[in-house]
Structure formats: C-alpha cells, structure tokens
Amino acid sequence: MSISRAALAVLMATAFSAQAEAISEQPYPGTIVLKVDATNTAQQIFRVRESIPARPGKLTLLYPQWIPANHGPSGALNQFAGLKVSANGKPLEWKRDTVNVYAFHIDVPKDASSVDVEFQYLSPVEANQGRTTMTNDILGVQWQSLTLYPAGYNSRRITMQPNLTVPAGWQYGTALETATRNGDEIAFKPLDLEAMMDSPLFAGRHFRRIDLDPGAKVPVHLNVVADSAEQLEATPEQIAPHRAMVQQAYKLFNSRHYQHYDFLFAISDEFGGIGREHHQSSENGVKLGYFSEWAKHEARRELLPHEFTHSWNGKFRRPADQNVPNFNTPLQNSLLWVYEGQTQYWGAVIAARSGLITPEHTRDLLAATAARYDNTRGREWRAVQDTTNDPIVNARRPQGWNNWQRAEDYYSEGELIWLDADTLIREKSGDKRSLNDFARNFFGVDDGVNVAKHYTFDDVVKALNAIQPHDWAGFLRTRLDGHGPGAPLDGLARAGWKLVYADKPTDFMKAQEEQSKSANFQYSLGFSVGAEGKLEAFQWEGLGFKAGLSGGSTLLAVNGRAYKAEVLRAAVTAAKTGKEPISLLVKKGNQYQTYTLDYHGGLKYPRLERIEGTPDRLEAILQPLK
C-alpha cells in the first residue's frame, strides 16, 4: 500500500505533536551518568557509555535530531554506531522506531532500576563524510553527538553528569564546571541536559588559554588549540583587539548573561572549520595562520565577535518559536533575520570598533555584501524571509545555481536590513539615538540572568518603537517579504555611501582573492573562477549563463592562451576598447568546447563611494563606544 508524501508529512507531524504533548515538566528521576572516551584519535572514534535510571516497562531513548545552533535537523545519526543496551549485566533488545528513526524503544525488565547503554560516534575521517571533529592534535566534543536521552521529559528537567577521558596530557577549554581531574579522566559537575548540550569542549595537544578580561569578576577566556605550538603564539598587539572586542560588547549590551565565557578556538588545517554559538561559550575554527600570518587573514576576525554577540542575541534573547522542550521537537526559524541577521551586523560593527578589522576594510566587506545581493536574481522569486527555512530545506548542501536558488541569506541580507534600521533611527532622531539603544534595551535586560528570554516579531517592533516611533512592522515586512529590484541599500545611502563598481578591486578584496586562490568576474562575465580554473558562482542569466556555461567546468584557455587569472583579466580589459569577443576553451567531463563572450564592459569590482554633502553615519557607527 503506497502513501502520498503529503499524507506521510501529516502522519509525521501528528507523531511529533503527540510526542510534544506527552512531554512531562516533572524532573526525570535520577541522574544520567555519561562517560566518553575520546582517546582514539588515530581512528577518530569516540566511545560512549551511559547509565540511565529507568523504571520497569517501556523506555524510549532519543538521539538528538534538531540542533539549535544549526537551526535544523542536523543530528549526526549516520555517524552513530554499535548500540548495545543492558540491565543488571544482561543484554536487552532494542527496536528503532520506523517513523522517527532517532528513537529507540526498550523494554526494561522488572528487576532493573537502570539501563546501561554503549555506542560509538564515528568522527568523519574524510571531508566527504562531514566535518572532522577529531585529529591527532585536536578534538571537539559536541555532546549532542554523544548522548541518548529519555523521551517524555523536558531537556531542562533531565540531570546529566558528564565525564570525559582525553589523550594523555591534553588540556581543554569548556563552559562546563570541572568537578575533578584524575590524570586524563575528567568529571564535570552535574547539570541539565540542555545546558550540557550547550557546553561543548575543545581539547588539544597544543593548548593556550588567554585571559580576555583580566581581573574581571565574570571571566572571559580564549581557549586556543592548534596543529602546532607555533600557531598559539600571539603577540600582545594581537591580543589587545580581542580584549577590546569584549569591552565593546559590554558597552553595547550593558550586560552579561553568563557566569563565565569561553571562546573555543581551533587553528587547524585538519580539524573542521566551525562557527557555532552557545550561551557561555562558542566553537570557532579557522585555517592555519590566524596569529602567525596576522596581516593576511583580517577577514577571519569577524568570526569571534559574531559568535560572542550570540550570547546576547540567539541564546539569552531567543525567538519564541525556538522554545522547544527537547532536541527531537522541530524548531521554527521565522526570526533568524534577527537571531543571525542582527548578529551579522553587530559582528561586523564590533570587529571594527575593537580594531580586529579596520573601518576601511569593513567598508570593503560591506560593499561585497551589497553587490552580492544587489545582483542576486533569486530575490525575484524568493524573499529573504523564506530563506530562514534553508537550514531545513537545504542544510548547507552544495548548490549548482546559488544566485537563483538562494541559501541562508537572512545572515548577510539581514545585515543590510539592520544597517537600514540603524541609519533610519539616527536620521529620524537627529543622530541622538541609534540601534545601539535597541541593543541595550532589548538584549541588555536582566543583567546576570542566563535563562533564555524569548521574543516574538511584535516584541521586536515594540522595542524599536520605544527607541524611535515609526511603522517598524511595515518597514520590516517590506524588506523581509519584498523582491526588489535590487538589494535593500537605503541604509547605505542614509549612511552617506553608495555602491559603485571600479575596474580594480580594493587592496583588501584583492588580498582576499589571492588567499582563496579565486578570481571574481561575477559583475562582468557573470561568474568566478576558483582554484585550478573551476568555474563557479554563476550569475543567473548573466553573460556566462546565457553563453551556456555551467558549474562542473574547468576553464583551460583564454583567447588561445593557457588560463591564468591575470590572462583573463587582461582579455576583459582589452575587449573594452576592442571589437573581438572573448574566447574561452572549457572542459566539462570529457567534452571540450569553445565559448565566445561578446562583452566590452571592462572589469567591475564593488566598492563604496562617499555621497557628497551627506553625513558619514557609517563612520559614526564604526567608531568605538566610549
């Protein structure tokens, strides 16, 4: 008997709804003891044991599916293996639920008061298997991948006692409170399941802890792990802007919503890159050279202020539709343009205010963002509000036509919307008020409280109106639900700047291209060329698209000469004053084909240019707070 997708969706929704209705707000009886052995770095295997108090009868254990900071059902069930269950030393059979495959059903015998569980989490060993969380020098403990928990209870009402064994001599950073350390066996203080899941750990052979707020009653530390000891070497001049970042955040939000804060920071070419927020910590991973090649990697420095901002926006103040009882209840993402979009804005602003990124280079990054969305053809059919569904729809899988399909654009298009809001408040108030005031009033309430305070769309509108009366509901809905043409660039104009295109990239963006080994021709030929001549980042219905080019292709030659970025740039420049088209030899699969691009518009790179006679509000926005 077949069943339609629609009918199946209804059945699954009903099953999830029934599960949610059955969740008790009573405390789960007893404490679950979790033991993780993370010493097998050679084979990248985590071994897990749990002792779970249980009453005789039916017991359902859940493997986390909906991961809050991932905004979707990204639980790594495909890397979960070797499940064995026992009670009183005797094995018990388990049965996976045939609809909710993250659920495992067990019959607890009459003479048992607990069940023992063991399994392995198999960290990816190759890039095509997922993000690497364990190497010979670094490991990242994400508790959602290492835990089964009982269904039917609110995750905040389940008490956990986590334990971890690390390789000999390794040091670690985490927001968890350590109870004892005996050699390489670490016992953490008991806490609720939600708080444990929100408190990951980085450990490493090479480790350094940097105090970012010396002498403070509420400590903030940068816990650095790296592929080698040399990568840990940070000069006082490099540490200073990180400390300034903390102080600028405090001056913006005028509050702290944690007992202490720990940046978990990996500098590695082997450990998977990451940027993931938590209430009292964050996971951050970049490639080698963050400190050792400081001048080359300025753009990376927006990561830490972004994730730090999330302690206020996303973790303390949290969208109401993400207030779910456990990690197997679907999340809703309708307010990610606040959660992530305004965080993207503040991340850029705090990076500039603290000196992590210069204001000039912040403008260059903003120009790149403005140009990207001003040329995103997918805005014609898909509003930015709908992209808040992308963590579920696409889950960051590669896309063939991103310019048309769109992805998680609520981040950076959201940044443009909040620049628009900030400059509008400044304009209407005669530059007496700004989005800084919104941040203090909205995120800065209840100083010292670290329990989530949820909000709705109407709460955001009300808070904006308290700063500057305006039709904020209409303002936001127009930008969130609109389709252009063009990106929401009113904020740039109100800030005293406009998006223009020049025949040369700014020095900062040129350095970014060189670092990524790519060449941007998106605003001239309608595509970029990546490493080894790979064609990518096509503009939908741009020049290259109309010529028939697509991804999965390699550019071999330009006008009969072997491809190099400078060769193609020279060809585009020459065509500006000539009549001949540009000839490209392209290989796709086993086929070779020549394409001609009749283009004579020259090279085009985005940058910002001052609007004469207008106040420079962008300069004011990026100034450090006193």
Side-chain angles (χ1 to χ4, degrees):
M1 177 179 175
S2 64
I3 184 170
S4 70
R5 288 186 179 181
L8 180 60
V10 171
L11 286 174
M12 292 183 71
T14 302
F16 280 127
S17 177
Q19 182 193 49
E21 291 172 2
I23 290 176
S24 170
E25 291 300 322
Q26 294 299 312
Y28 185 75
T31 297
I32 298 174
V33 177
L34 171 65
K35 295 183 177 181
V36 176
D37 184 337
T39 59
N40 189 355
T41 58
Q43 294 177 303
Q44 296 159 261
I45 297 171
F46 293 85
R47 296 189 179 275
V48 181
R49 293 181 181 271
E50 285 184 87
S51 178
I52 303 173
R55 298 188 179 100
K58 302 292 184 182
L59 173 67
T60 298
L61 298 178
L62 300 174
Y63 189 76
Q65 179 181 11
W66 290 80
I67 312 304
N70 284 14
H71 311 313
S74 58
L77 189 61
N78 59 313
Q79 290 154 358
F80 169 95
L83 177 60
K84 295 180 180 179
V85 183
S86 62
N88 296 327
K90 298 178 181 179
L92 300 178
E93 293 294 329
W94 55 265
K95 185 177 181 180
R96 190 193 299 263
D97 193 285
T98 55
V99 174
N100 179 8
V101 295
Y102 287 77
F104 301 87
H105 303 298
I106 300 161
D107 287 321
V108 181
K110 293 181 179 180
D111 60 345
S113 59
S114 65
V115 296
D116 295 313
V117 173
E118 65 177 88
F119 62 90
Q120 300 83 46
Y121 172 69
L122 310 175
S123 177
V125 296
E126 295 182 15
N128 62 5
Q129 297 169 0
R131 178 180 165 269
T132 300
T133 57
M134 182 183 279
T135 74
N136 284 324
D137 298 299
I138 301 172
L139 65 89
V141 174
Q142 298 176 318
W143 301 106
Q144 72 269 11
S145 299
L146 306 170
T147 306
L148 287 169
Y149 70 95
Y153 289 83
N154 191 303
S155 59
R156 292 182 286 270
R157 306 290 280 168
I158 299 172
T159 301
M160 306 290 299
Q161 198 275 297
N163 302 267
L164 176 68
T165 303
V166 297
W170 284 28
Q171 300 301 311
Y172 64 92
T174 181
L176 293 174
E177 300 285 347
T178 301
T180 62
R181 177 167 185 171
N182 183 12
D184 300 309
E185 296 182 357
I186 307 155
F188 298 102
K189 294 179 181 179
L191 71 171
D192 69 70
L193 176 66
E194 182 177 283
M196 185 189 79
M197 297 291 199
D198 199 37
S199 304
L201 177 149
F202 279 11
R205 187 187 312 277
H206 311 290
F207 178 88
R208 182 182 181 186
R209 195 169 204 223
I210 301 171
D211 191 344
L212 293 186
D213 198 3
K217 293 181 179 179
V218 181
V220 178
H221 287 97
L222 181 64
N223 302 278
V224 191
V225 292
D227 288 349
S228 65
E230 292 78 12
Q231 293 294 318
L232 303 177
E233 296 177 4
T235 67
E237 292 76 18
Q238 292 168 345
I239 294 172
H242 293 85
R243 288 178 171 163
M245 166 189 67
V246 175
Q247 297 309 314
Q248 285 299 311
Y250 288 165
K251 290 174 181 178
L252 175 63
F253 298 115
N254 196 33
S255 63
R256 299 163 180 79
H257 299 291
Y258 42 79
Q259 296 175 342
H260 54 85
Y261 190 92
D262 285 271
F263 289 98
L264 312 181
F265 190 41
I267 305 173
S268 173
D269 282 347
E270 298 180 15
F271 188 73
I274 191 171
R276 185 174 296 168
E277 67 273 11
H278 303 281
H279 204 137
Q280 298 197 125
S281 64
S282 57
E283 299 170 87
N284 309 273
V286 297
K287 296 293 186 181
L288 295 179
Y290 184 84
F291 292 122
S292 62
E293 297 179 292
W294 180 253
K296 291 184 179 180
H297 303 299
E298 190 175 352
R300 294 181 184 176
R301 300 180 212 151
E302 199 173 282
L303 175 61
L304 294 179
H306 177 103
E307 301 304 340
F308 192 38
T309 296
H310 270 314
S311 183
W312 291 268
N313 180 11
K315 303 308 292 185
F316 170 61
R317 293 310 307 265
R318 199 175 301 182
D321 58 9
Q322 294 204 347
N323 184 16
V324 294
N326 66 18
F327 297 95
N328 292 71
T329 303
L331 297 166
Q332 297 181 59
N333 291 326
S334 66
L335 291 167
L336 284 183
W337 49 273
V338 184
Y339 181 133
E340 293 289 4
Q342 195 172 141
T343 295
Q344 188 80 359
Y345 180 68
W346 289 129
V349 169
I350 292 173
R353 289 176 180 175
S354 64
L356 283 168
I357 300 178
T358 68
E360 178 185 4
H361 294 163
T362 299
R363 291 197 301 269
D364 290 344
L365 290 169
L366 187 57
T369 297
R372 174 184 173 187
Y373 290 103
D374 209 38
N375 290 275
T376 293
R377 293 296 300 272
R379 298 183 80 253
E380 296 174 10
W381 73 274
R382 191 178 184 194
V384 69
Q385 177 68 69
D386 187 63
T387 71
T388 63
N389 296 301
D390 218 65
I392 301 169
V393 172
N394 191 57
R396 298 189 176 176
R397 289 186 289 265
Q399 293 179 312
W401 303 99
N402 176 267
N403 182 265
W404 184 241
Q405 293 168 277
R406 308 200 72 179
E408 295 178 56
D409 291 344
Y410 52 83
Y411 277 89
S412 296
E413 190 169 331
E415 178 184 7
L416 296 175
I417 291 171
W418 287 110
L419 173 64
D420 198 350
D422 193 352
T423 55
L424 184 61
I425 294 170
R426 291 170 186 264
E427 180 183 70
K428 285 185 168 294
S429 68
D431 293 302
K432 295 178 180 178
R433 293 181 296 278
S434 69
L435 203 64
N436 294 335
D437 300 291
F438 172 87
R440 292 189 189 97
N441 288 6
F442 194 71
F443 302 114
V445 296
D446 301 338
D447 183 27
V449 174
N450 62 2
V451 177
K453 187 179 182 70
H454 296 90
Y455 64 86
T456 64
F457 176 85
D458 290 342
D459 292 329
V460 175
V461 169
K462 182 179 178 181
L464 285 167
N465 271 313
I467 303 303
Q468 177 62 51
H470 184 64
D471 177 18
W472 289 109
F475 171 95
L476 292 170
R477 292 267 52 101
T478 297
R479 287 153 181 78
L480 294 168
D481 301 330
H483 297 283
L489 300 184
D490 289 350
L492 267 182
R494 216 178 285 114
W497 295 81
K498 62 182 177 180
L499 175 66
V500 298
Y501 296 87
D503 61 3
K504 293 182 180 179
T506 65
D507 290 341
F508 181 67
M509 298 313 297
K510 181 180 179 180
Q512 291 298 106
E513 279 195 19
E514 291 173 354
Q515 181 183 330
S516 63
K517 298 180 181 178
S518 65
N520 185 350
F521 298 93
Q522 292 182 47
Y523 309 115
S524 52
L525 304 181
F527 55 82
S528 288
V529 188
E532 300 179 355
K534 181 181 178 182
L535 297 182
E536 57 192 15
F538 281 88
Q539 296 284 321
W540 185 261
E541 294 187 351
L543 187 69
F545 177 96
K546 290 179 177 178
L549 291 166
S550 71
S553 304
T554 302
L555 178 57
L556 301 178
V558 179
N559 292 342
R561 295 182 62 193
Y563 168 75
K564 290 183 179 179
E566 57 268 30
V567 171
L568 183 52
R569 291 191 193 103
V572 174
T573 300
K576 187 174 182 180
T577 55
K579 297 181 179 180
E580 295 298 317
I582 301 166
S583 175
L584 306 180
L585 176 61
V586 174
K587 179 179 182 291
K588 184 171 185 179
N590 294 323
Q591 301 294 316
Y592 294 79
Q593 187 169 344
T594 297
Y595 295 83
T596 56
L597 305 181
D598 193 14
Y599 175 73
H600 305 279
L603 295 167
K604 293 183 180 180
Y605 299 98
R607 62 176 65 204
L608 297 186
E609 185 177 278
R610 280 285 286 127
I611 302 173
E612 292 185 12
T614 63
D616 189 351
R617 292 193 174 97
L618 189 55
E619 181 183 27
I621 289 169
L622 301 182
Q623 283 293 312
L625 296 179
K626 303 298 184 181

